[in-house]
Amino acid sequence: MTGVDRGERQVLVVGEALIDLVQRADGSRDEAPGGSPANVALALGRLGRHPQLLTSLGEDARGSAVRAWLEGSRVRVSAGSATGAHTSTATALLDATGAATYEFDLAWSVDVSLAGAADVLHVGSVATVLEPGASDVARLVEARRATATITFDPNIRPALIEDAEAARSRVEQLVRLADVVKVSDEDLLWLHPDRDLAETAASWLAAGPAVVVVTQGGEGAFAVTAQGRVWASAPRVSVIDTVGAGDTFMGALLDGLIDADLIGADRRQALRDVPLGVLESIMRRSADAAAVTVSRPGADPPTRAELAAAQFPARSSH
């Protein structure tokens, strides 16, 4: 796989940034910046990109903490991200295995007219279903598809969804507009509980994307393309918690696609024609990045050097 200069392609991430309040099974609590799209931008920054994040942050101490966290990992926070409202929070309740469920105090609005130029636009999670910002995000995706690769991770948060059918409709709309969709097995089963994962992935692929990737936690991930189906196993690691794991996978997936020169509207056909071996290699590296994240507390994705140096004793079988 031939890499390209990491400075050549501009990445724009649009979505929520917030404070994660983590309550662990042993009763301990801590507070740290997070939010799915913000985590994706953070992962990209640590892998050597210079992503721009357009989000919604309060002009308060928590908003300042989020900005510092992002800017410390090469993420450019858009000037349009200051809303004046309080910074949103998500409380992650961790069980004994480290798996998280969430409670939210979150509002989402965004001025998409302030979105910078980009070769790839990533959207996902709360920002794509919570109004009033969700409709603005959808319009931005429609407007940018002519000039950018569109990537989408639904990252469903059921606690925030009042109308499940409306959420499913919005997800399906964005799937049709996207070039790359990354979705967890849990999200697919929430969206389509009457179908198996492969069936839903195939139907999404037929709707428009070039690549649909389904992650299955420690079991690995599979992808479907016009060329066929490919599986990438996951390293076996001791899990501290799963916060940010899927977002790290998404960031590393984007990073790998950029390295493979498969990003940008001008590379849309090349993305559709991606050899399965190339995609498998990108997915394995993405799974490695996620494994680093789950092996330490919170949304703490690896740097490019840490990922290159990571050693894992074994991978899951399939």
Side-chain angles (χ1 to χ4, degrees):
M1 181 168 57
T2 302
V4 294
D5 183 345
R6 294 199 298 276
E8 288 182 3
R9 293 300 193 181
Q10 298 182 76
V11 182
L12 171 63
V13 179
V14 179
E16 71 272 10
L18 45 77
I19 290 289
D20 280 323
L21 308 174
V22 179
Q23 181 170 315
R24 303 183 186 279
D26 63 6
S28 63
R29 295 172 60 91
D30 55 56
E31 180 171 317
S36 175
N39 289 338
V40 173
L42 186 83
L44 282 161
R46 291 190 177 178
L47 291 171
R49 309 294 167 185
H50 292 85
Q52 177 191 0
L53 176 67
L54 178 60
T55 188
S56 177
L57 288 171
E59 296 178 18
D60 54 16
R62 284 175 167 167
S64 296
V66 173
R67 287 186 189 87
W69 170 72
L70 290 163
E71 291 168 357
S73 290
R74 304 161 62 107
V75 179
R76 293 177 292 118
V77 180
S78 169
S81 298
T83 64
H86 75 281
T87 298
S88 297
T89 62
T91 301
L93 306 172
L94 303 182
D95 65 19
T97 70
T101 56
Y102 292 87
E103 298 174 352
F104 295 89
D105 175 13
L106 191 155
W108 170 246
S109 62
V110 65
D111 185 350
V112 296
S113 70
L114 299 173
D119 301 292
V120 54
L121 167 62
H122 175 73
V123 300
S125 198
V126 175
T128 60
V129 294
L130 187 65
E131 298 292 3
S135 293
D136 294 319
V137 171
R139 283 191 289 270
L140 178 66
V141 168
E142 290 176 341
R144 291 299 183 91
R145 195 173 189 282
T147 57
T149 297
I150 305 298
T151 65
F152 172 46
D153 177 4
N155 203 4
I156 301 296
R157 300 301 188 203
L160 279 173
I161 294 175
E162 296 180 356
D163 186 336
E165 285 307 310
R168 289 187 183 98
S169 177
R170 178 54 57 81
V171 167
E172 298 288 342
Q173 175 196 14
L174 291 171
V175 166
R176 290 191 296 270
L177 292 168
D179 296 293
V180 178
V181 178
K182 194 284 289 181
V183 61
S184 71
D185 52 356
E186 290 182 353
D187 286 350
L188 273 192
L189 291 172
W190 186 89
L191 288 161
H192 297 288
D194 56 336
R195 298 187 198 168
D196 67 29
L197 300 176
E199 179 185 359
T200 305
S203 71
W204 279 13
L205 184 73
V211 180
V212 177
V213 178
V214 181
T215 57
Q216 297 180 271
E219 300 305 309
F222 72 87
V224 291
T225 77
Q227 319 310 313
R229 175 170 164 165
V230 63
W231 171 265
S233 59
R236 296 196 180 280
V237 296
S238 296
V239 176
I240 301 300
D241 66 52
T242 61
V243 177
D247 304 322
T248 298
F249 187 104
M250 184 73 239
L253 180 66
L254 269 170
D255 180 69
L257 292 172
I258 296 171
D259 270 345
D261 194 20
L262 294 171
I263 288 297
D266 58 322
R267 300 295 290 159
R268 189 160 276 138
Q269 189 57 51
L271 180 61
R272 290 194 175 279
D273 296 337
V274 58
L276 292 181
V278 171
L279 183 57
E280 180 185 5
S281 177
I282 293 170
M283 289 170 59
R284 283 173 66 94
R285 180 171 175 268
S286 301
D288 288 353
V292 174
T293 297
V294 302
S295 70
R296 50 201 197 186
D300 186 13
T303 64
R304 201 172 191 87
E306 285 176 325
L307 182 54
Q311 299 288 324
F312 301 107
R315 302 187 79 91
S316 63
S317 60
H318 176 64

